[in-house]
Amino acid sequence: MTVRSLLVGVGSYLPERIVTNDELSERLDTSDDWIRGRTGIRQRHIVGEGETAVSMGARAAQRALDFAGIDPLEVDAVILATSTPDQVFPATAVRVMNDLGVKNGFGFDIAAACSGFIYALSTADAFIRAGNAKCVVVIGSEVYSRILDWSDRGTAVLFGDGAGAVVLRATDKPDENGVLTTHLHADGSTGDILYVDGAVGVPNCSAHLKMNGREVFRHAVGKLASSVDEALESVGMTYADVSWLVPHQANIRIIDGVARKLQMPKERVVVTVDRHANTSAASIPLALDEAVRDGRIKQGDLVLMEALGGGLTWGSALVRM
Ligand code: UT7
């Protein structure tokens, strides 16, 4: 009997406060024209007092559980991707379990930067396929506003805060829905082009995000396109089979570049980077939630997800909704 993971719930959370490009231009040597032209970003959401990776992750996960109609007591695991945990430990996931009332499961965090959601989805799917869990909540929750150097125009304008979540449930029914395949990659030799400088207790570090944007860009389109090819080839499908591309939302030029390589028309690409900016591990589940709830993504659609982030890490996932 083959067990697979069905994606049965989606949810997300964005902080109320919106910061526009014009607002940033008042404090930085930048402009709405530059930010929009180079990235597609118009605005970002930034956490308010008391909002954290735990609080936003719990809100997104609760919405995903409500969507699925699943009680927290049925959840076997919570896997949360973040680069901005509230604490070194307990894991953000375990704090979220407590907020949700998940009492019968296990939980842990995944640190794979902007690829975190794909890594978490792949891990959750592996637990389900192995028979070690039947219901897993997968979350990406990020507070990048906390790790930005707000005086560095090269990075401060690019990121935002938010959280997204999905619920996976085991099925042994012989239909073709669910997580079809996931593919993960990492290359530590590129660790210095995108990183956070330091950790708790490490002397002489800024704890700020540092990026060589041009270098990251150079790696992004090629690595993402080959990861997407790998996913489709592994299940004997082609670009023509894909209903929706739900990419990591870092830069509209990267999204367009990958879409062009896939010959995906713009109408079939879910884009939120204009309103959310780059929310790292939260960006894919935030985009997925938006497109499911507004009726674009429907049951039976084939959804292709891809992401690249610090590490470098990158990967892809194909899900039949
Ligand atoms: O999600 C994790 C993965 N991250 C990414 O995928 C990000 C990938 N990289 C990018 O998206 C782009 O490289 C950026 C948006 C970060 C930068 O765009 P770019 O077209 O690569 O610009 P650039 O870094 O080559 O900079 C061009 C110019 C520079 O000035 P000079 O040296 O040509 O005089 C920068 O100093 O733009 C300047 N610049 C700015 N100007 C106004 C850099 N940031 C800003 C700014 N406002 N905010």
Side-chain angles (χ1 to χ4, degrees):
M1 189 170 59
T2 310
V3 177
R4 286 168 301 103
S5 318
L6 279 181
L7 199 159
V8 293
V10 288
S12 66
Y13 176 80
L14 285 164
E16 215 170 283
R17 182 165 171 239
I18 290 173
V19 175
T20 63
N21 293 345
D22 284 337
E23 203 175 327
L24 289 182
S25 309
E26 288 167 17
R27 320 182 225 144
L28 283 170
D29 181 17
T30 189
S31 65
D32 180 50
D33 264 5
W34 191 95
I35 302 170
R36 263 197 297 153
R38 297 284 175 134
T39 70
I41 296 166
R42 287 192 281 117
Q43 60 174 49
R44 71 284 296 137
H45 291 250
I46 299 291
V47 286
E49 189 77 27
E51 282 183 315
T52 69
V54 170
S55 71
M56 293 194 298
R59 296 284 287 272
Q62 185 61 60
R63 286 173 183 171
L65 285 171
D66 291 345
F67 186 105
I70 288 177
D71 189 280
L73 296 175
E74 294 173 61
V75 174
D76 300 313
V78 174
I79 303 178
L80 188 147
T82 190
S83 301
T84 50
D86 294 23
Q87 295 169 303
V88 174
F89 65 82
T92 316
V94 177
R95 294 276 191 204
V96 167
M97 286 171 69
N98 190 50
D99 284 4
L100 294 174
V102 172
K103 295 188 190 306
N104 306 318
F106 61 91
F108 57 92
D109 289 359
I110 284 188
C114 297
S115 313
F117 180 74
I118 301 284
Y119 269 64
L121 187 75
S122 179
T123 306
D125 181 47
F127 273 109
I128 286 177
R129 283 177 192 266
N132 292 328
K134 286 193 166 61
C135 180
V136 185
V137 179
V138 181
I139 307 167
S141 186
E142 299 281 21
V143 195
Y144 265 50
S145 59
R146 229 182 54 207
I147 55 167
L148 293 175
D149 173 357
W150 284 101
S151 66
D152 173 19
R153 68 176 184 172
T155 52
V157 303
L158 304 175
F159 295 90
D161 301 333
V166 302
V167 181
L168 298 186
R169 185 158 223 181
T171 178
D172 56 10
K173 294 206 184 89
D175 58 29
E176 54 181 7
N177 288 6
V179 179
L180 303 187
T181 187
T182 61
H183 297 265
L184 306 180
H185 295 277
D187 174 8
S189 73
T190 48
D192 289 340
I193 63 173
L194 175 52
Y195 64 99
V196 174
D197 175 36
V200 177
V202 177
N204 306 319
C205 58
S206 66
H208 286 147
L209 180 145
K210 310 269 184 191
M211 178 166 74
N212 180 338
R214 231 178 267 186
E215 267 301 291
V216 176
F217 199 110
R218 201 173 63 76
H219 283 279
V221 177
K223 284 187 163 53
L224 290 170
S226 69
S227 174
V228 158
D229 280 343
E230 184 184 21
L232 288 166
E233 272 168 31
S234 75
V235 292
M237 291 182 177
T238 71
Y239 306 144
D241 296 310
V242 178
S243 321
W244 291 97
L245 177 64
V246 183
H248 169 50
Q249 312 278 325
N251 186 322
I252 193 67
R253 287 153 59 212
I254 297 175
I255 294 172
D256 286 348
V258 175
R260 257 195 312 276
K261 285 210 170 184
L262 303 184
Q263 296 154 21
M264 281 297 275
K266 281 194 172 159
E267 305 73 55
R268 290 201 280 140
V269 182
V270 179
V271 175
T272 55
V273 69
D274 53 330
R275 288 156 292 127
H276 302 173
N278 182 347
T279 56
S280 192
S283 87
I284 291 177
L286 268 161
L288 190 66
D289 183 45
E290 180 175 290
V292 168
R293 283 177 196 265
D294 71 17
R296 275 178 288 171
I297 296 181
K298 297 185 174 58
Q299 210 172 356
D301 281 354
L302 185 67
V303 174
L304 177 56
M305 307 173 203
E306 41 85 342
L308 174 134
L312 291 176
T313 55
W314 67 100
S316 58
L318 258 180
V319 179
R320 177 79 70 189
M321 301 294 285

